[in-house]
Amino acid sequence: MEPGEPREPQEPREPGPGAETAAAPLWEEAKTFYDNLAPKKKPKSPKPQNAVTIAVSSRALFRMDEEQRIYTEQGVEEYVRYQLEHENEPFSPGPAFPFVKALEAVNRRLRELYPDSEDVFDIVLMTNNHAQVGVRLINSINHYDLFIERFCMTGGNSPICYLKAYHTNLYLSADAEKVREAIDEGIAAATIFSPSRDVAVSQSQLRVAFDGDAVLFSDESERIVKAHGLDRFFEHEKAHENKPLAQGPLKGFLEALGRLQKKFYSKGLRLECPIRTYLVTARSAASSGARALKTLRSWGLETDEALFLAGAPKGPLLEKIRPHIFFDDQMFHVAGAQEMGTVAAHVPYGVAQTPRRTAPVKQAPSAQ
């Protein structure tokens, strides 16, 4: 054919053998690529009255030490300006972060087994931050792919009055005064502390450890120890072994965990349950352990493990358990847990607490 000479029209050729099968993987590959670009569909938020609601403050969920310093030293206007300038920089994870991730892992399992049920964990970000700081919080939550749809930002006012409206089962904060307010309102609450070193925790099983007296139970027994000593306490516990202790501030949270555990048990998954609970108490098993266990039984509750330490330090045992959170009413045990790498939370309830300050220390809008 000479250059420039028009080509003769050609008949379309039939696809050769294997052409369709060769194209299929290419199409599937392209489909997967574009599916990954599309926004992932998130589950529907449950109605608060149907869920186990965990309210977490911004400074419990994220590390905000630098922001707190700016607020304390330079005031609220500079604090807000700094947050706006850095709103595209995600916060680093705070002490409650692994706990929240574990809650979401449990939710995924529950939704696989019970697609239409709203009896799951619902996480609410509860903060007295100003609304304009919310963009950085939202960006941080999206950065870590957390499912937190409910926010409460109160612009400098205390958020405690909203906890009941959100049907809160547990409130975690870095602000001890806010936690005390919540406890006074009858809401399970604790001040959360970062561990002194990072320890890997389970990615597939939520582990929660509780002290007994003044946490799950009332402080009745601690009052007797304080007033009359250990010998009288042992006598009292023996005499009242079959009388259940009154409930403490976190009894309701253990009850909620137990309810969700039973949903896995009913599917034959007791041994593979993604929730595990622990009683870690300074009580002695022989002299005062029976009353604690019988009290739980009378409530229709149980813990997966019960560890009676007879006054021994709790930190080394918690290091073996590696819970996502440990609740105790005494700062001595909280500090011991921190030293061993455990995220510990102080429950300010009962006779062991120090008197309240008359004037609270100045806190940043995020310092909860």
Side-chain angles (χ1 to χ4, degrees):
M1 179 183 296
E2 294 294 329
E5 185 177 340
R7 292 176 179 270
E8 298 226 357
Q10 298 182 355
E11 293 291 328
R13 290 187 289 180
E14 292 292 325
E20 291 183 5
T21 56
L26 294 175
W27 162 246
E28 290 298 330
E29 184 178 336
K31 182 176 184 298
T32 300
F33 174 77
Y34 286 109
D35 283 347
N36 289 336
L37 288 181
K40 295 179 181 178
K41 185 179 179 181
K42 291 190 174 182
K44 183 181 177 182
S45 295
K47 295 182 180 67
Q49 62 269 28
N50 297 335
V52 178
T53 300
I54 311 297
V56 184
S57 76
S58 56
R59 204 157 63 94
L61 185 59
F62 298 117
R63 292 189 182 276
M64 304 177 71
D65 298 338
E66 177 63 15
E67 291 75 14
Q68 172 71 12
R69 184 192 64 78
I70 290 171
Y71 173 81
T72 302
E73 296 178 1
Q74 302 178 42
V76 65
E77 296 303 325
E78 185 62 23
Y79 166 83
V80 172
R81 186 190 68 78
Y82 179 88
Q83 294 280 35
L84 294 177
E85 288 180 354
H86 294 80
E87 68 180 18
N88 292 320
E89 300 173 16
F91 293 112
S92 298
F97 189 92
F99 176 63
V100 168
K101 293 291 284 185
L103 297 177
E104 295 192 341
V106 173
N107 278 355
R108 285 192 291 273
R109 294 286 304 278
L110 284 169
R111 288 187 172 108
E112 290 170 3
L113 297 172
Y114 302 93
D116 300 322
S117 175
E118 291 191 327
D119 195 9
V120 296
F121 293 110
D122 187 27
I123 301 152
V124 178
L125 187 70
M126 188 75 61
T127 172
N128 61 354
N129 251 307
H130 294 272
Q132 56 263 46
V133 180
V135 173
R136 191 177 183 192
L137 291 169
I138 291 169
N139 287 343
S140 298
I141 284 168
N142 289 335
H143 173 79
Y144 295 110
D145 196 29
L146 299 175
F147 183 62
I148 301 178
E149 296 293 315
R150 292 190 169 96
F151 276 41
C152 181
M153 293 177 283
T154 61
N157 293 329
S158 172
I160 301 305
C161 61
Y162 294 102
L163 290 173
K164 288 186 178 178
Y166 279 95
H167 297 266
T168 300
N169 296 90
L170 176 68
Y171 171 56
L172 296 176
S173 173
D175 186 332
E177 287 298 320
K178 296 292 187 298
V179 168
R180 285 181 184 272
E181 289 180 43
I183 290 283
D184 289 345
E185 291 294 321
I187 296 166
T191 309
I192 193 167
F193 294 89
S194 296
S196 59
R197 56 189 173 89
D198 292 331
V199 172
V201 292
S202 174
Q203 302 295 310
S204 57
Q205 184 181 61
L206 170 66
R207 298 177 186 173
V208 183
F210 299 89
D211 179 30
D213 296 294
V215 175
L216 293 178
F217 315 130
S218 72
D219 68 339
E220 170 196 325
S221 298
E222 288 189 347
R223 288 181 180 276
I224 292 173
V225 172
K226 192 174 181 67
H228 305 290
L230 275 175
D231 290 341
R232 181 68 178 274
F233 162 71
F234 294 142
E235 293 173 5
H236 178 271
E237 291 302 291
K238 189 68 177 175
H240 295 81
E241 180 179 311
N242 295 313
K243 180 183 178 182
L245 289 153
Q247 71 178 50
L250 265 68
K251 180 252 187 179
F253 181 52
L254 176 63
E255 192 171 34
L257 292 176
R259 188 179 73 245
L260 295 182
Q261 282 180 308
K262 288 175 182 176
K263 300 187 77 164
F264 292 99
Y265 299 168
S266 66
K267 298 289 188 179
L269 297 172
R270 177 180 282 269
L271 297 181
E272 295 82 29
C273 182
I275 303 173
R276 192 165 184 84
T277 56
Y278 304 79
L279 174 65
V280 182
T281 173
R283 283 175 174 249
S284 166
S287 58
S288 56
R291 191 180 187 196
L293 295 178
K294 287 183 177 181
T295 295
L296 290 174
R297 186 193 302 166
S298 74
W299 294 342
L301 299 179
E302 60 181 312
T303 57
D304 295 291
E305 298 187 28
L307 308 171
F308 295 91
L309 304 186
K314 298 181 179 182
L317 217 62
L318 291 167
E319 185 182 25
K320 300 301 181 184
I321 296 171
R322 298 195 176 190
H324 293 90
I325 193 166
F326 164 61
F327 297 98
D328 202 291
D329 68 305
Q330 298 192 45
M331 282 302 301
F332 171 79
H333 292 305
V334 169
Q338 285 180 275
E339 289 174 7
M340 304 303 289
T342 297
V343 174
H346 178 239
V347 181
Y349 176 82
V351 70
Q353 306 312 307
T354 55
R356 289 174 182 265
R357 296 188 300 268
T358 54
V361 174
K362 182 181 179 183
Q363 297 287 347
S366 60
Q368 302 165 46

